[in-house]
């Protein structure tokens, strides 16, 4: 390689982006540096992962402890994009060994989350860990290979499922590449994809995928307005003045498993209360969802405890008990009613 030759590098996302050359005015790419290490040639890469809010919360951990541990133990730089978006970009930068160590920690963390969620559901088979990479469209041909030969080889040699989206992500020249399987299979798969990307650099400039903020609906609960952001219900901006006193008394609904207030130093919260309602037996399924997915979402979103009584002989209804603060209960009721409405009006899954 000549002295003036350009060097290319992939950038990857967990919905990830395999990047382009860094340009003074185009900040979507990455540089690749070659270094001599004990193991021979080492490459510095940037891997961008695209994750949903719940996945990002898992990576960050309580008070940022999980991501801090990942940074320290892997030696990679891990940055999470800002913004009120349903999707966030997690950027991982470092030597290849640090990159793959960080990637392994993320994959095993997601598997741990799956196992944890299964303990509360009747599911017997463990679903695979799934990550999405975002790859410049100009490199997807090399990844797929002639007649699909390369992607078939990667699937067979790693045991991971790999799917390349047919359409480009909105307002970008990148496509999503979805990888699922065991953590070990995913790690091997990502290594092979990196090799392909390094051998076949992107052609031309890449317009990166940037997640857009969602237009979140306003929910009125307990006489107050909230917007849903990830796993939080946040007071609506137009209502902030009215809600200021309320906010100083209670926190917006915390993510599942967390009880620390969103306002440091303020531990006061309204006492928990209980509300009961009855649902027709033939509609209870839409509240519970497949393997309990919907009821778990409602629990996480509202911050309330929700118990559904077993069916009783001769009764056409089931009793639901909701426990939490008045605002928790109101939001849980709203979400349950929304599920019922979508079922009755034939709108399907909410």
């Amino acid at each position: 390689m000549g002295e003036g030759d350009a060097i290319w590098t992939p950038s990857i996302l967990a919905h990830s982006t395999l990047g382009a050359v860094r340009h003074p005015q185009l900040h979507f790419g990455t540089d690749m540096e070659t270094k001599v290490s004990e193991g021979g040639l080492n490459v510095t890469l940037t891997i961008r992962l695209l994750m949903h809010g719940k996945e990002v919360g898992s990576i960050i951990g309580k008070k940022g402890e999980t991501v801090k541990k990942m940074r320290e133990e892997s030696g990679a730089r891990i940055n999470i994009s800002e913004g009120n978006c349903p999707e966030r970009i997690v950027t991982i930068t470092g030597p290849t060994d640090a990159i793959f160590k960080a990637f392994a920690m993320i994959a095993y963390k997601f598997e741990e989350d799956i196992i944890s969620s299964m303990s509360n559901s009747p599911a017997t088979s463990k679903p695979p860990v799934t990550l999405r990479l975002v790859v410049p469209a100009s490199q997807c041909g090399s990844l797929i290979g002639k007649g699909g030969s390369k992607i078939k080889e990667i699937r067979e040699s790693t045991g991971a499922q790999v799917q390349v989206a047919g359409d480009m992500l909105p307002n970008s020249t990148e496509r999503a590449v979805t990888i699922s399987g065991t953590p070990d299979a995913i790690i091997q798969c990502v290594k092979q994809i990196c090799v392909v990307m390094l051998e076949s650099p992107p052609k031309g400039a890449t317009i990166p995928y940037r997640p857009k903020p969602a237009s979140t609906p306003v929910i009125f609960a307990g006489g107050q307005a909230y917007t849903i952001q990830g796993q939080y219900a946040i007071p609506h901006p137009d209502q902030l003045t009215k809600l200021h006193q309320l906010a100083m008394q209670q926190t917006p609904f915390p993510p599942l498993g967390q009880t620390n207030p969103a306002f440091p130093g303020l531990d006061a919260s309204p006492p928990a209360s209980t509300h009961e309602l009855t649902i027709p037996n033939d509609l209870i399924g839409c509240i519970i969802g497949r393997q309990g997915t919907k009821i778990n979402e409602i629990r996480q979103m509202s911050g309330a405890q929700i118990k559904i009584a077993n069916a009783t002989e001769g009764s056409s209804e089931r009793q639901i008990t909701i426990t939490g603060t008045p605002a928790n209960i109101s939001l849980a009721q709203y979400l349950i009613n929304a599920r019922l409405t979508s079922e009755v009006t034939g709108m399907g899954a909410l």
Side-chain angles (χ1 to χ4, degrees):
M1 182 177 284
E3 211 173 68
D5 289 348
I7 303 175
W8 299 76
T9 191
S11 72
I12 301 176
L13 315 186
H15 296 72
S16 155
T17 296
L18 294 164
V21 162
R22 177 172 291 161
H23 187 280
Q25 295 168 329
L26 301 177
H27 300 289
F28 48 79
T30 60
D31 288 330
M32 180 179 78
E33 302 168 9
T34 54
K35 298 177 181 176
V36 177
S37 66
E38 289 179 13
L41 186 68
N42 198 6
V43 182
T44 295
L45 299 177
T46 292
I47 299 185
R48 304 198 323 147
L49 308 173
L50 185 59
M51 298 186 185
H52 291 299
K54 189 175 180 181
E55 295 170 327
V56 172
S58 172
I59 295 303
I60 294 173
K62 192 174 182 179
K63 298 181 180 177
E65 288 170 3
T66 305
V67 73
K68 183 183 177 186
K69 183 180 178 184
M70 287 179 177
R71 287 173 179 141
E72 289 172 352
E73 293 189 9
S74 69
R77 293 196 300 275
I78 303 173
N79 293 311
I80 299 165
S81 67
E82 297 294 330
N84 170 28
C85 303
E87 296 177 321
R88 304 271 287 280
I89 291 178
V90 177
T91 307
I92 307 174
T93 306
T96 48
D97 55 349
I99 289 282
F100 296 131
K101 191 166 184 181
F103 212 93
M105 293 177 78
I106 289 171
Y108 280 110
K109 180 68 176 73
F110 284 175
E111 184 182 55
E112 183 185 306
D113 294 343
I114 290 170
I115 292 168
S116 174
S117 68
M118 285 182 67
S119 64
N120 298 320
S121 84
T124 52
S125 58
K126 186 173 70 176
V129 174
T130 300
L131 301 175
R132 287 182 305 163
L133 313 182
V134 179
V135 179
S138 61
Q139 292 178 292
C140 287
S142 301
L143 180 57
I144 294 167
K146 192 173 181 179
S149 57
K150 188 64 186 177
I151 201 166
K152 183 183 177 187
E153 177 192 317
I154 292 174
R155 286 174 184 145
E156 289 176 351
S157 64
T158 65
Q161 289 297 313
V162 189
Q163 298 291 336
V164 179
D167 297 326
M168 286 186 275
L169 289 158
N171 305 311
S172 78
T173 57
E174 296 182 314
R175 293 189 194 177
V177 176
T178 304
I179 305 173
S180 359
T182 64
D184 289 341
I186 286 174
I187 295 157
Q188 293 307 315
C189 183
V190 170
K191 287 181 179 179
Q192 292 203 26
I193 288 174
C194 282
V195 170
V196 173
M197 297 300 107
L198 286 166
E199 290 174 348
S200 307
K203 299 172 183 67
T206 299
I207 300 171
Y209 172 58
R210 300 186 187 281
K212 299 289 182 192
S215 52
T216 54
V218 178
I219 291 174
F220 290 93
Q224 309 297 337
Y226 297 89
T227 54
I228 301 301
Q229 298 180 12
Q231 294 182 56
Y232 296 86
I234 305 294
H236 191 261
D238 295 343
Q239 301 286 323
L240 282 180
T241 304
K242 187 195 292 186
L243 287 180
H244 180 71
Q245 189 172 2
L246 173 74
M248 297 306 286
Q249 295 169 351
Q250 71 179 78
T251 170
F253 314 122
L256 193 65
Q258 289 190 21
T259 55
N260 57 305
F263 303 95
L266 294 171
D267 296 318
S269 61
S273 56
T274 298
H275 181 80
E276 293 181 352
L277 63 152
T278 53
I279 302 290
N281 274 339
D282 56 351
L283 291 176
I284 200 72
C286 77
I287 301 295
I288 296 172
R290 190 173 181 179
Q291 297 178 348
T293 52
K294 294 300 175 186
I295 192 67
N296 284 336
E297 283 176 9
I298 293 171
R299 286 179 181 127
Q300 288 189 25
M301 194 78 80
S302 67
Q305 292 179 15
I306 305 171
K307 292 182 181 177
I308 299 175
N310 293 328
T312 54
E313 195 171 334
S315 173
S316 62
E317 295 180 323
R318 298 274 285 277
Q319 184 169 298
I320 296 180
T321 304
I322 308 171
T323 305
T325 66
N328 293 151
I329 292 171
S330 295
L331 186 53
Q333 282 182 279
Y334 171 89
L335 296 169
I336 288 170
N337 287 333
R339 289 292 310 155
L340 292 172
T341 303
S342 70
E343 183 73 11
V344 171
T345 58
M347 289 170 64
L350 197 61

